[in-house]
Amino acid sequence: MSRLTIDPITRIEGHLRVEIKVEDGVIREARCSGALYRGIERILVGRHPLDAQRITTRICGVCPLAHSTAASLCLDDALGLSPPRNGQLLRNLIYGANYLHNHILHFYHLSLPDYLPAHALPGVLSPGTDEDRRFFREETQELANHYLAALKMRRKAQELVALFGGKMPHDMSIVPGGVTYRPTQGEVAAFRFRLREIASFLEGTYIPDLLLLAERYHDYFDRGKVGNLLTFGCFPLEGKRLFPAGAILGGEYMPLDPGEIREGVSYSWYSGDGAVPPWEEEAEPDPNKEGGYSWIKSPRYRGEPCEVGPAARAAVGLQAGPREFRELASDLLREAGASPQALSSTMGRHLARGIETLFIVRAMERWLSELDLSAPVATKYRIPIEGKGEGLTDAPRGALGHWIRVKEKRIARYQVVSPTTWNASPRDERGVPGPIEQALQGTRVQGDGILEAGRIVRSFDPCLACAVQ
């Protein structure tokens, strides 16, 4: 049995170490390790509750809108607020723009190099691979051109965030009770113009490229699979969410019960053992803990490790989502020659991102037309002496939760459970591996396994800054 350590995994956010053991051409064991402790949850204790909004966005510069959104929902709950419709629409438009940016970034600049030859891409940070080439020369050149075109689309998506959110990263608009800014007609027109440019790129370039990749590497619908899926849902509007919350455990769909969320530290460098609800967690850093191998904790739902992210949103959406989503997802799955059960796979995750990107950009067109520039965008509030709140949403990378306790108008406890905390979690108190570890184990590889392991890990789009917050 050969043992290989990939440290760090490149083309992801942050520092992820992956150790695999290969025997007879199969990965028999895998371990994921977050290699950094940050302590942002502890930094928040004792601060004013509104500081949570501004500090948690600094958890990550790639997905700050996710934390801004989760913190606002958490504080809405703690302060008993119901944002006006206009505020909800603007929140969703800002957040939706960040989704578009993330998925374009992930496909073209983080994952596609895994499938292109080394000479195809510019720069030393995206070297490509000389193994397992399946594209024709003309296809390779076209994909490389689209790699460059995608940079411009990412910039336009960031401009969308800045138009309504003030700046990117770390918006200044999303706040408890709604947003701080009511856009002008000119800004709405500028937003719509850029949004349509992005939509044209998604439909005319991104989706065809995605389907081409799925055709050439169709066997990756059978690699990197995980059993259980979980989503908190996202983009709320007047009591409903564009993507519904829910879980698929053992192949069966069930509505979300937030009371079933637990987080353990048995194999993490924190004191304690077992799993507790986020409301009750008091784990302390313990870098010398025997058996620990990661700064990432081990969240579980109903005691089970769950993959979170686009595959989970698509799978739950096919069960409980609106008709428009079910039709779009079914059509693209059929074009790719894949079943809904293949969504939780290396190629299925890429396809799920494509499905939801089209769905989101169309929803954003609708939200933009529903804005009332004369209506309120926020509601007033007061900080309570005591209270608690829960903010559940989905980041582009998956289920994200913020929990707050307020005492004497100060933060007494703040907990964050991020998507990559779910996906890259280490083993739990029962010794059950986390989702990325499960996806790697059992994979047949050629050579040392670096290529296959990289493709599988990157399909989750890990964000280690969020995972070790």
Side-chain angles (χ1 to χ4, degrees):
M1 180 180 291
S2 64
R3 175 175 171 176
L4 177 70
T5 299
I6 311 170
D7 184 14
I9 291 279
T10 57
R11 277 183 277 118
I12 67 165
E13 204 296 320
H15 304 281
L16 175 64
R17 167 192 171 105
V18 173
E19 181 181 300
I20 58 175
K21 294 181 180 179
V22 179
E23 184 178 29
D24 298 328
V26 176
I27 298 176
R28 301 297 182 186
E29 183 180 326
R31 294 202 171 199
C32 293
S33 302
L36 176 71
Y37 171 72
R38 302 178 76 200
I40 290 177
E41 294 166 327
R42 295 168 61 84
I43 290 171
L44 285 164
V45 174
R47 292 180 175 269
H48 193 282
L50 297 187
D51 287 351
Q53 184 78 39
R54 302 275 62 89
I55 291 175
T56 58
T57 67
R58 271 70 182 177
I59 288 174
C60 179
V62 178
C63 43
L65 269 299
H67 292 288
S68 186
T69 299
S72 70
L73 294 172
C74 183
L75 291 165
D76 284 349
D77 190 31
L79 305 181
L81 305 179
S82 180
R85 178 180 174 82
N86 243 23
Q88 295 176 56
L89 287 169
L90 286 165
R91 279 183 179 181
N92 286 349
L93 285 163
I94 296 167
Y95 195 20
N98 190 227
Y99 256 79
L100 302 183
H101 172 269
N102 267 269
H103 288 349
I104 294 170
L105 161 66
H106 178 259
F107 181 76
Y108 283 102
H109 304 126
L110 302 183
S111 291
L112 187 59
D114 281 334
Y115 302 92
L116 294 180
H119 68 270
L121 298 172
V124 296
L125 295 181
S126 302
T129 176
D130 286 324
E131 300 178 57
D132 193 24
R133 298 185 188 181
R134 304 187 194 178
F135 292 116
F136 297 124
R137 185 189 302 271
E138 295 79 9
E139 293 169 340
T140 295
Q141 185 58 55
E142 187 173 59
L143 288 169
N145 292 338
H146 294 167
Y147 174 100
L148 296 174
L151 292 169
K152 297 178 181 179
M153 292 301 113
R154 285 175 53 195
R155 186 192 72 229
K156 292 179 184 298
Q158 301 287 53
E159 290 171 354
L160 293 183
V161 176
L163 275 167
F164 290 175
K167 65 187 183 75
M168 177 64 194
H170 315 312
D171 78 285
M172 298 302 294
S173 185
I174 297 175
V175 292
V179 298
T180 61
Y181 187 68
R182 182 186 291 108
T184 65
Q185 286 185 345
E187 287 164 335
V188 170
F191 194 102
R192 179 175 286 110
F193 179 79
R194 288 167 174 79
L195 183 64
R196 287 178 176 172
E197 284 187 292
I198 296 170
S200 178
F201 175 81
L202 295 175
E203 294 184 5
T205 303
Y206 174 37
I207 296 301
D209 288 349
L210 176 57
L211 291 173
L212 176 63
L213 180 71
E215 178 185 350
R216 294 287 186 271
Y217 291 87
H218 200 272
D219 51 317
Y220 276 83
F221 281 113
D222 293 315
R223 300 189 187 191
K225 292 187 172 183
V226 179
N228 299 319
L229 301 168
L230 174 70
T231 173
F232 293 162
C234 50
F235 300 110
L237 183 61
E238 297 184 326
K240 295 183 179 180
R241 297 196 170 206
L242 184 70
F243 291 94
I248 295 178
L249 301 183
E252 296 295 323
Y253 164 76
M254 60 187 67
L256 176 70
D257 179 358
E260 293 290 341
I261 300 168
R262 300 288 187 275
E263 193 170 45
V265 293
S266 295
Y267 286 84
S268 307
W269 288 310
Y270 296 92
S271 61
D273 201 357
V276 297
W279 295 113
E280 301 174 12
E281 190 175 325
E282 294 183 346
E284 298 284 339
D286 184 4
N288 299 313
K289 181 177 180 179
E290 184 177 356
Y293 64 91
S294 181
W295 284 111
I296 303 173
K297 299 174 184 177
S298 298
R300 297 293 185 260
Y301 182 73
R302 294 187 181 271
E304 299 295 331
C306 293
E307 174 182 346
V308 301
R313 287 190 292 271
V316 169
L318 282 167
Q319 295 287 332
R323 176 179 56 82
E324 296 85 350
F325 179 83
R326 297 196 306 272
E327 291 177 351
L328 175 62
S330 297
D331 287 346
L332 283 177
L333 281 165
R334 185 165 50 252
E335 284 193 62
S339 67
Q341 291 71 34
L343 285 165
S344 176
S345 67
T346 304
M347 196 55 58
R349 295 179 192 103
H350 293 300
L351 184 63
R353 286 184 182 88
I355 293 168
E356 72 178 19
T357 302
L358 283 184
F359 191 59
I360 289 169
V361 80
R362 293 170 186 175
M364 290 174 69
E365 283 271 12
R366 185 171 65 252
W367 294 331
L368 199 60
S369 67
E370 293 174 4
L371 282 176
D372 180 354
L373 301 184
S374 64
V377 297
T379 188
K380 295 181 180 180
Y381 57 85
R382 292 183 178 180
I383 305 299
I385 296 176
E386 293 191 2
K388 69 176 185 176
E390 175 182 78
L392 303 182
T393 187
D394 255 40
R397 292 164 174 85
L400 169 65
H402 284 213
W403 290 263
I404 190 173
R405 282 190 183 274
V406 177
K407 290 186 178 180
E408 298 181 358
K409 295 189 175 183
R410 288 290 183 269
I411 298 174
R413 180 176 298 165
Y414 204 96
Q415 290 293 322
V416 176
V417 182
S418 297
T420 303
T421 313
W422 288 93
N423 286 335
S425 64
R427 285 154 170 74
D428 57 26
E429 67 274 12
R430 298 174 299 153
V432 178
I436 292 181
E437 295 176 337
Q438 290 181 13
L440 289 166
Q441 292 180 173
T443 299
R444 181 161 294 279
V445 301
Q446 296 183 8
D448 55 18
I450 290 179
L451 179 64
E452 288 86 354
R455 286 173 172 173
I456 291 170
V457 172
R458 289 188 191 94
S459 73
F460 286 88
D461 195 12
C463 180
L464 270 292
C466 291
V468 298
Q469 79 287 329

